[in-house]
Amino acid sequence: MAQQETVDVDEVFRVETHGIDPIPDAERHGSARDLFWLWFGSNLTFTYVINGALAVAFGLSFWQATAVVVIGGLSFFAISAAGLSGIRTGTATLVISRAAFGIRGNFPAGVLNWVVSIGYTIVNTVVGTLALEVFFAEIGWQGGTAGRAVALLVTLALTFAVAMWGHATVQFAERWMAYVLAAGFGVLLLFVLPGADTSAAATAPGLSGWSLAFVVMFAGPFSYVPMPADYTRYLPRTTSLRSITWMGALGGFVSSVALGVAGVAAATQTDMTDAVAGAESLLPGWFQPLFLALVLGGSVTNSIITLYSSSLNLQVLGIPWSRARAIVISAAVTAVGSLAALFLTDFTTSLLSFLSLLIIVFAPWGGVFLADMLLRRCRYDSEALHAGSTGAYWYRSGYHPAGLAALLAGMAFAALTCDSELWTGPLVAPLGGADLTLLGSVVSGLTYWALTRRRAPAYAPAA
């Protein structure tokens, strides 16, 4: 009986002891509604305001840009569906992807995903820090370097504390912060939407403008593909798969579309080159400090889930530590990167350019993973995912030829059609300046389907 008292329990403000190990049925809890608040809260981030403004900057009218925002929001249905494998296996997304790429073949994407997670956490931390620094100034404290340092410390502390506690605390914090942020951003919409210029005649932004707008809108949701199962793995197996898909999708859709449309509306009224300053100029003076607090809160909610998933990512890569200890590595790297971004003026721009280039890898990776999940109907051998060379997913020396071939095919297409600051593919000019990087996911997914669909034994449900 004494041993029964040591059973791990996923509780709020208690350090989570599970990592990528499968969650036992006896310890599963929660409902699909938790996913609504997780994805709703984590996507109440100012990034979507910036994305909406960029669509207008690419030459789209209000209604054209709004249509792109809505279509981009619909991608959360695919992201949410990617979490269905978590309820079946009880483990993290980057463990499940071993089935598509092989135990060793999964490693490079795991490294890059950790880099991307930390990179976006740094960007969000910097945005939140700068907003808090301006907030300090507006309430009368011109702190200079010391003020910026305090702002950074507060932002990092809010993010790290929640992510360190783990799954239950992450869900709790996202829900309660969502209540506050939704109310605040709702007021923002009331100030910004009425002045939007919706009468402008439809323009012809060209294929380049349309494609760039879609890349911006889809890039955010697509960056979540390696994460959804991290937040469904605790749900009881009896949870409806349809409800999981709908709840998570609606959460991400509502918040991303609302803020994206706010960005579109703001861009038709003012210069949004500096998006925070541009949006702030449309607000009454009494609301401006609250607006800055919203920017900070949105940055923190988004950083929490990326930092939490990064700790599971490190375990996938073989770090022999608990999740709570592994997250210290991610937090330390985030702190160092944020310091560099705040005190080396060109670091943030360089980081964003680098992260945007990585879509060449992650769009095709997502295509293979989702295709594999559909072919298997989310049925995996959970033990084999953790079994290494003795399991069914070892394939050929740890590599799955079909998965890697499909990944390379998608990456080749994405590289040829990518238009970014660091790389312009040779097919961009012949395509009229169109950036078709995201279609790399379609190419890789179809290639994987063609290579594996006739291999029924590989996709037989686990006993």
Side-chain angles (χ1 to χ4, degrees):
M1 294 296 293
Q3 290 183 343
Q4 294 296 320
E5 296 177 0
T6 64
V7 171
D8 299 320
V9 179
D10 185 39
E11 294 182 345
V12 177
F13 303 131
R14 175 175 174 177
V15 176
E16 177 192 7
T17 55
H18 282 298
I20 62 172
D21 53 304
I23 307 300
D25 288 345
E27 297 177 32
R28 296 195 182 198
H29 61 91
S31 69
R33 285 176 297 185
D34 297 331
L35 297 177
F36 174 87
W37 293 109
L38 177 85
W39 291 110
F40 180 72
S42 62
N43 285 284
L44 285 170
T45 172
F46 194 73
T47 301
Y48 289 106
V49 176
I50 297 173
N51 291 347
L54 284 173
V56 176
F58 293 145
L60 277 65
S61 68
F62 176 87
W63 292 114
Q64 290 172 333
T66 296
V68 172
V69 168
V70 172
I71 295 172
L74 290 173
S75 64
F76 275 101
F77 279 90
I79 303 305
S80 188
L84 298 180
S85 53
I87 194 172
R88 290 278 176 81
T89 63
T91 192
T93 304
L94 280 168
V95 175
I96 301 165
S97 62
R98 290 170 174 171
F101 300 100
I103 305 297
R104 288 176 172 169
N106 192 55
F107 189 86
V111 173
L112 287 176
N113 180 68
W114 184 79
V115 172
V116 170
S117 295
I118 296 302
Y120 279 116
T121 304
I122 291 171
V123 171
N124 278 318
T125 299
V126 170
V127 171
T129 298
L130 294 176
L132 186 56
E133 183 183 18
V134 175
F135 177 82
F136 287 157
E138 292 196 357
I139 62 175
W141 181 39
Q142 300 289 342
T145 301
R148 177 169 292 188
V150 171
L152 174 60
L153 183 62
V154 170
T155 305
L156 285 172
L158 290 172
T159 304
F160 176 72
V162 175
M164 165 67 88
W165 270 314
H167 176 265
T169 310
V170 167
Q171 289 194 322
F172 175 84
E174 293 290 351
R175 176 190 290 265
W176 285 99
M177 292 179 73
Y179 295 155
V180 176
L181 292 174
F185 278 119
V187 175
L188 173 70
L189 285 168
L190 292 177
F191 287 128
V192 172
L193 285 181
D197 182 6
T198 61
S199 61
T203 59
L207 190 57
S208 175
W210 281 106
S211 65
L212 288 172
F214 275 113
V215 166
V216 167
M217 295 304 167
F218 280 106
F222 231 92
S223 67
Y224 292 127
V225 173
M227 299 182 192
D230 301 0
Y231 304 100
T232 58
R233 71 194 205 281
Y234 274 95
L235 291 176
R237 292 181 190 271
T238 55
T239 308
S240 164
L241 299 186
R242 179 177 295 180
S243 65
I244 289 174
T245 302
W246 275 91
M247 287 294 99
L250 287 176
F253 176 85
V254 171
S255 51
S256 65
V257 169
L259 296 186
V261 172
V264 172
T268 65
Q269 303 172 65
T270 188
D271 180 11
M272 291 288 284
T273 303
D274 181 340
V276 174
E280 191 177 19
S281 69
L282 300 174
L283 304 173
W286 66 267
F287 188 71
Q288 290 176 3
L290 296 177
F291 165 70
L292 295 170
L294 292 175
V295 176
L296 169 63
S299 298
V300 170
T301 59
N302 195 260
S303 292
I304 285 171
I305 67 166
T306 55
L307 189 62
Y308 173 79
S309 287
S310 75
S311 64
L312 298 176
N313 197 157
L314 286 174
Q315 288 190 312
V316 173
L317 295 177
I319 298 295
W321 292 356
S322 67
R323 181 209 59 82
R325 291 181 62 191
I327 204 171
V328 175
I329 298 175
S330 295
V333 175
T334 298
V336 172
S338 299
L339 285 169
L342 289 165
F343 296 101
L344 300 176
T345 56
D346 62 342
F347 181 83
T348 303
T349 300
S350 299
L351 178 62
L352 283 171
S353 298
F354 172 68
L355 292 173
S356 67
L357 189 63
L358 288 183
I359 197 170
I360 291 176
V361 176
F362 278 100
W365 184 92
V368 174
F369 175 74
L370 292 173
D372 182 76
M373 190 185 73
L374 288 172
L375 284 167
R376 297 181 192 273
R377 298 183 181 180
C378 297
R379 296 184 183 275
Y380 298 86
D381 185 337
S382 297
E383 292 184 5
L385 290 171
H386 299 270
S389 60
T390 62
Y393 304 126
W394 187 249
Y395 301 111
R396 296 182 182 177
S397 301
Y399 301 93
H400 189 197
L404 296 175
L407 176 63
L408 290 174
M411 288 175 59
F413 179 88
L416 290 171
T417 59
C418 176
D419 184 14
S420 70
E421 291 186 15
L422 298 181
W423 168 259
T424 300
L427 295 184
V428 172
L431 289 169
D435 185 335
L436 304 181
T437 313
L438 288 172
L439 291 181
S441 61
V442 178
V443 172
S444 64
L446 291 176
T447 302
Y448 188 75
W449 177 81
L451 292 174
T452 58
R453 67 188 178 90
R454 296 188 183 279
R455 300 181 181 180
Y459 297 98

